[in-house]
Amino acid sequence: SAVYEALLAIALCHNVSPVESVGGGQAASLESCFQGASPDELSLVVFAARCGLVLHERTPTRIVVHEPSGRLRGFELLGEMPFSSELKRMGVLLRDESTGAIQFLAKGAES
């Protein structure tokens, strides 16, 4: 559904890293399970985790989320457009490891 795809984009398009494996969002304090430079990005990742899409792993080449079904879903990180204060946007180019589909996800703010 469109809502699931929007939550998946929130769970994937960021530069947050898990501090430890949070095992499906059952940790007492999700905020303490992630680290990132931006409080806004941390809040979005925690929101996605509370909705059932938990960031499980992030490396320079791979992002893995824990889905509500219990399945781990991996994405190869093909490229990253870092946040730019001039453009007020960032993005990631990903390949879904289960389907091979490639997608570019972007997020940003309008001024």
Side-chain angles (χ1 to χ4, degrees), residues 17-107:
S17 297
V19 174
E20 58 187 60
S21 177
V22 294
Q26 302 303 313
S29 173
L30 284 172
E31 291 85 351
S32 65
C33 296
F34 304 108
Q35 65 181 11
S38 165
D40 293 341
E41 285 204 333
L42 286 169
S43 294
L44 289 169
V45 171
V46 168
F47 171 75
R50 288 189 175 141
C51 292
L53 284 165
V54 182
L55 177 63
H56 181 76
E57 174 187 336
R58 180 169 175 121
T59 70
T61 59
R62 188 167 189 247
I63 301 173
V64 179
V65 293
H66 195 268
E67 295 185 309
S69 66
R71 177 177 83 131
L72 291 177
R73 186 170 174 191
F75 296 84
E76 181 183 358
L77 183 55
L78 302 173
E80 188 168 7
M81 182 180 81
F83 179 80
S84 159
S85 57
E86 181 180 327
L87 296 175
K88 297 182 183 171
R89 284 172 180 54
M90 67 96 48
V92 291
L93 183 62
L94 303 168
R95 180 190 328 263
D96 188 322
E97 294 176 352
S98 62
T99 66
I102 295 175
Q103 59 185 328
F104 180 74
L105 302 174
K107 71 174 182 184

